[in-house]
Amino acid sequence: MLAWLALLAVAQQLQEDPLDATRSAIAEGDLRRAVAQLQALPASAETENLWTNLYYRAGAPTLALEHLEAGLGHRPEHLELLHRGASVALWLGDAKLARLYVGRLAKAVEATELAATARPGWQAAVEDFEERAAALEEGLRTRGTALMRARVVALATMVLAFGVLVFVGRRSVP
Amino acid sequence: MIMELAAVRLLAPWFGTSLVVWTNVIAVVLLGLAGGYWMGGRLATGSAPVSKLGGMLLLAGPLTAFIPAFSGPLARFFLPSELALHEAASLVLWGSLAVSLVLFLPPAALLGAVSPLAVESVARMDRRSAGNAGGKVLASGTLGSLVGVFSTSHVLVPQLGLIGTFLTASLFLCLAGALALRVAKGKVSSVAAPIVLWLAAVGLGVSRTATYGSAGGPSPPEGWRVLQRGESPYQSVRVVEGPDDERGLFRYLQVNEGFDSFQSVWQEEPGLLPAGFYYNDFALPAHWGDKSGSWSVLILGLGAGTAVRVIEGAAPPGLSLDFTGIELDPLVVEFAKADLELIEDETHRVHADLDARVALRALDQEFDQIVLDCYANQIEIPPHLCTLEFFREVRAHLKEGGFLCANLGGFGFDDPLVRTVARTAARAFEDPVLLMSVPHSRNYTLFARRGAALPWEGNRLADAGREVADVLHPRELPGFFQRIEADEQGGVLVDNQAPVEILQKRSIEEGHRRRLGGGGAG
């Protein structure tokens, strides 16, 4: 009986989708197994999505970005990858990239056939990203204004100082 | 000199004390002095140079008294809040230049005018030649600068603080001005005017002190509080405490911090910090070393002792630890003992007021692990602590199989600064070194080992104890570490030429470009 059960388990493992097996490894926190399985699989939007999530959760946004861009090369309207793209761009403080991904995500949500219950969630995510991208842009604008202000004051003070010197020089008795 | 030295300290809480800030302050003071010399030379050719001399000093005195009061509001005007360190480079350059020009150019110009007027006054009063009078004034002025340099660094700033320093300078200028006027007019009543002026200046200066007190550096975020704040001979130091939320209670030691960085962190329980803190990597060698008995650690750049608490809390069971910590700033140690649980006893030795390299040479001992965590001006590795010669000295202080671990800040394995320092260490150790990216941060940890293999097997890092499993877990993913060979092509840093500032600048520029370009720098 035990032998039968063992054989059954082996057979089930053999039949398991390799991606599901990788997902299981990730869920169990076995990164070593997950990496080995992912490296053995041909690159696709789904494998790149898994790589992206692994790097994102591990705290490596630039590596996550590499993989999500590769994944979008396979499937340009992949919702999860576009969602992750917007997150990574915001994490890196790249407003332009964030706008790009938020825009693509919004279009993809519109174009994709989704369950009625799923659509509001994606739309809310798009709105949230739009707000955060706007806040990031506002921060960049503030920084740009501060830089401009500092430049103008510094240059104006130097010009003023030079003017005073010329004025004093001309007025004083030689 | 008092103004020049104290000026940098005044800007430090906002802009740091990097080479850029020093350059701006010195440049502005030189510009002011040059203008003042020119102006003074012109004024000196007219009548009553002694009166004009007094007038210049009396104008410069009150202006100097007001400088601290305006520094905070002015810095806030040019520096938006919540700037990340890597975002601030251009604002540090232009912001510190603008603030320096507004604050320091007028008094510097007035003080510059003093010299030619003084030369003319001495020449006329004593009937001396211009050369003779000039020599006398220059000698007095240079001696005064000498006194100013020593008194500012060793007495005035540590004892009186920055406001007290500027008010003292102001007092001297006003007294000198009053004396000059008295000499010029020969009337006792002429003293009354400057005294009134001075009293008015002090009154106004003190009235602004409350404002300055609260603006003596950027405010911490809402919900945070400042536990301690002080001025040491080296820097502005403060301890801040975050809100006691689900993450627990955290305290940070900050020095000259205008941005989002900190020098040390404390949590209630010793041991690993949450992901993103590079200190966790310092706990790995005690596991990789596979040693029983004792484990001796030298920490260069002790700060408030974060590395000690992390290594101690995550050490393999049964290992007896022995720490020696070197910290340049005694005020940091004082604050750390008071608020960040820094221990000093027979197994936790603390040496304050010592430069790391000087201390290393003085220590006649070998260690199992040397931690290098020395930073100056928030982001700069001191050049003398990343050269070939220094790393050779470190290697000589390691036991066979001992580890060096160094904290480096950068934007990828190809970051100019990170790569050059790693290559320099590899060359000094004559063995490959390991560079690990710290998750959730822009830090890299460099590992070098004396006379033993570094802990990797194939393309994986070696396993370590369960106490540090969380530190190694994300490093199972490819791209989190790199091996730098000892014979890698490229320049290395040597004592004779260690252009760390240039590499730092390139690091920020290239890092910014890489990130915005969407490239993949782990």
Side-chain angles (χ1 to χ4, degrees):
Chain A
M1 182 66 182
L2 278 174
W4 273 112
L5 282 173
L7 269 175
L8 194 64
V10 170
Q12 272 179 340
Q13 267 192 340
L14 285 173
Q15 285 175 345
E16 192 178 9
D17 180 348
L19 279 172
D20 285 341
T22 310
R23 285 191 192 101
S24 306
I26 294 169
E28 290 161 18
D30 189 348
L31 280 190
R32 198 175 300 175
R33 187 155 56 96
V35 167
Q37 284 169 342
L38 272 174
Q39 283 173 333
L41 290 171
S44 68
E46 287 313 315
T47 56
E48 296 298 349
N49 189 25
L50 287 174
W51 279 118
T52 302
N53 287 331
L54 280 174
Y55 280 113
Y56 184 84
R57 288 184 191 132
T62 49
L63 289 173
L65 189 62
E66 272 184 15
H67 284 283
L68 76 88
E69 282 173 348
L72 287 169
H74 292 283
R75 253 180 70 194
E77 294 195 339
H78 195 291
L79 291 182
E80 284 179 40
L81 284 171
L82 290 169
H83 184 276
R84 200 54 99 196
S87 298
V88 167
L90 289 167
W91 184 350
L92 294 174
D94 188 337
K96 209 171 150 188
L97 196 64
R99 277 286 177 211
L100 177 80
Y101 279 117
V102 175
R104 283 180 67 180
L105 180 63
K107 280 184 191 162
V109 168
E110 286 299 312
T112 308
E113 278 188 30
L114 292 166
T117 48
R119 188 168 294 280
W122 282 106
Q123 283 168 339
V126 169
E127 281 168 24
D128 178 51
F129 279 137
E130 274 171 353
E131 276 174 30
R132 288 164 61 193
L136 184 63
E137 284 166 343
E138 180 58 31
L140 290 175
R141 263 196 299 275
T142 308
R143 200 187 331 152
T145 309
L147 184 61
M148 182 54 70
R149 192 187 298 148
R151 279 181 176 154
V152 166
V153 169
L155 294 173
T157 311
M158 283 192 278
V159 168
L160 186 69
F162 185 72
V164 169
L165 281 181
V166 171
F167 179 73
V168 170
R170 285 194 173 168
R171 280 202 57 186
S172 302
V173 183
Chain B
M1 286 311 295
I2 291 178
M3 190 172 76
E4 201 170 314
L5 288 174
V8 172
R9 297 295 300 275
L10 200 63
L11 299 184
W14 305 93
F15 300 102
T17 55
S18 62
L19 192 69
V20 167
V21 178
W22 270 101
T23 306
N24 281 345
V25 169
I26 290 172
V28 166
V29 171
L30 288 176
L31 180 69
L33 287 176
Y37 293 149
W38 169 263
M39 192 168 63
R42 289 289 194 167
L43 291 172
T45 54
S47 60
V50 185
S51 297
K52 290 172 184 168
L53 172 68
M56 289 292 162
L57 288 166
L58 284 173
L59 277 171
L63 266 180
T64 306
F66 283 114
I67 287 173
F70 290 112
S71 65
L74 209 53
R76 268 199 298 270
F77 182 67
F78 292 116
L79 205 62
S81 58
E82 294 177 18
L83 262 185
L85 197 58
H86 63 270
E87 297 173 330
S90 51
L91 274 167
V92 165
L93 172 73
W94 285 98
S96 65
L97 180 62
V99 174
S100 300
L101 281 163
V102 174
L103 284 181
F104 307 124
L105 190 67
L110 290 168
L111 293 173
V114 165
S115 292
L117 286 167
V119 170
E120 186 68 24
S121 302
V122 170
R124 287 192 198 179
M125 281 193 298
D126 296 354
R127 296 183 192 286
R128 289 168 189 266
S129 68
N132 192 304
K136 203 174 173 181
V137 169
L138 279 172
S140 310
T142 307
L143 282 175
S145 296
L146 195 67
V147 173
V149 168
F150 280 103
S151 61
T152 304
S153 293
H154 298 290
V155 183
L156 293 175
V157 171
Q159 299 298 326
L160 303 178
L162 289 171
I163 297 171
T165 302
F166 276 97
L167 289 180
T168 304
S170 168
L171 174 67
F172 275 96
L173 293 174
C174 287
L175 285 175
L179 196 66
L181 283 182
R182 198 174 174 196
V183 168
K185 293 183 181 174
K187 292 177 185 173
V188 178
S189 60
S190 64
V191 176
I195 289 175
V196 168
L197 260 174
W198 162 243
L199 287 174
V202 170
L204 284 166
V206 171
S207 72
R208 296 285 307 205
T209 304
T211 314
Y212 176 71
S214 61
S219 303
E222 205 177 317
W224 291 56
R225 61 189 186 120
V226 179
L227 300 180
Q228 299 221 50
R229 187 199 298 263
E231 295 294 329
S232 78
Y234 302 102
Q235 56 210 345
S236 299
V237 186
R238 72 179 187 182
V239 178
V240 296
E241 184 182 87
D244 192 2
D245 53 22
E246 70 278 359
R247 268 185 6 135
L249 190 65
F250 280 83
R251 290 178 186 164
Y252 300 88
L253 180 102
Q254 298 183 306
V255 297
N256 296 341
E257 310 287 346
F259 315 112
D260 64 345
S261 59
F262 56 86
Q263 301 301 316
S264 295
V265 61
W266 169 94
Q267 65 178 356
E268 281 177 299
E269 290 299 320
L272 294 184
L273 292 158
F277 287 101
Y278 64 87
Y279 304 97
N280 291 344
D281 286 354
F282 298 158
L284 291 168
H287 292 265
W288 279 335
D290 197 22
K291 221 182 136 190
S292 55
S294 67
W295 184 261
S296 55
V297 185
L298 170 67
I299 299 169
L300 302 173
L302 176 68
T306 309
V308 175
R309 284 172 65 80
V310 168
I311 295 172
E312 206 156 38
L319 199 62
S320 163
L321 297 162
D322 184 278
F323 292 97
T324 304
I326 309 296
E327 172 53 45
L328 184 61
D329 193 339
L331 189 64
V332 165
V333 172
E334 186 188 320
F335 282 7
K337 284 180 181 171
D339 284 321
L340 302 159
E341 291 191 67
L342 178 67
I343 302 166
E344 189 171 7
D345 58 24
E346 64 276 9
T347 56
H348 299 78
R349 284 170 296 281
V350 177
H351 300 285
D353 220 356
L354 265 180
D355 177 85
R357 192 155 175 187
V358 174
L360 189 65
R361 278 204 193 124
L363 286 165
D364 186 20
Q365 192 185 342
E366 288 181 349
F367 297 88
D368 292 301
Q369 182 181 359
I370 295 179
V371 173
L372 176 63
D373 191 12
C374 294
Y375 268 81
N377 313 320
Q378 302 178 304
I379 53 171
E380 291 169 4
I381 303 171
H384 66 300
L385 298 180
C386 53
T387 62
L388 195 64
E389 294 88 340
F390 170 70
F391 284 127
R392 283 181 180 147
E393 288 172 31
V394 169
R395 187 179 184 276
H397 280 81
L398 283 171
K399 293 178 183 172
E400 280 297 305
F403 287 84
L404 159 72
C405 19
N407 166 39
L408 308 172
F411 299 94
F413 291 111
D414 292 328
D415 179 281
L417 183 62
V418 170
R419 193 79 185 189
T420 307
V421 173
R423 194 186 301 127
T424 305
R427 195 79 56 91
F429 275 72
E430 298 172 4
D431 268 317
V433 298
L434 172 66
L435 205 51
M436 292 206 318
S437 162
V438 178
H440 299 278
S441 83
R442 54 181 179 76
N443 292 78
Y444 289 79
T445 315
L446 168 77
F447 291 94
R449 199 169 186 195
R450 180 182 176 174
L454 274 162
W456 57 57
E457 296 154 357
N459 58 355
R460 288 189 49 245
L461 292 171
D463 286 331
R466 59 185 170 80
E467 294 81 3
V468 289
D470 287 349
V471 183
L472 287 178
H473 187 251
R475 271 74 175 253
E476 294 283 353
L477 290 170
F480 265 101
F481 62 91
Q482 259 191 26
R483 176 185 160 121
I484 315 291
E485 301 297 331
D487 59 356
E488 183 181 277
Q489 293 298 305
V492 295
L493 303 166
V494 290
D495 281 345
N496 183 46
Q497 194 177 13
V500 171
E501 294 89 355
I502 294 172
L503 291 171
Q504 185 69 59
K505 192 166 174 277
R506 273 181 52 205
S507 161
I508 291 173
E509 286 168 1
E510 288 183 20
H512 192 64
R513 203 166 44 238
R514 260 201 301 268
R515 287 174 68 156
L516 295 192

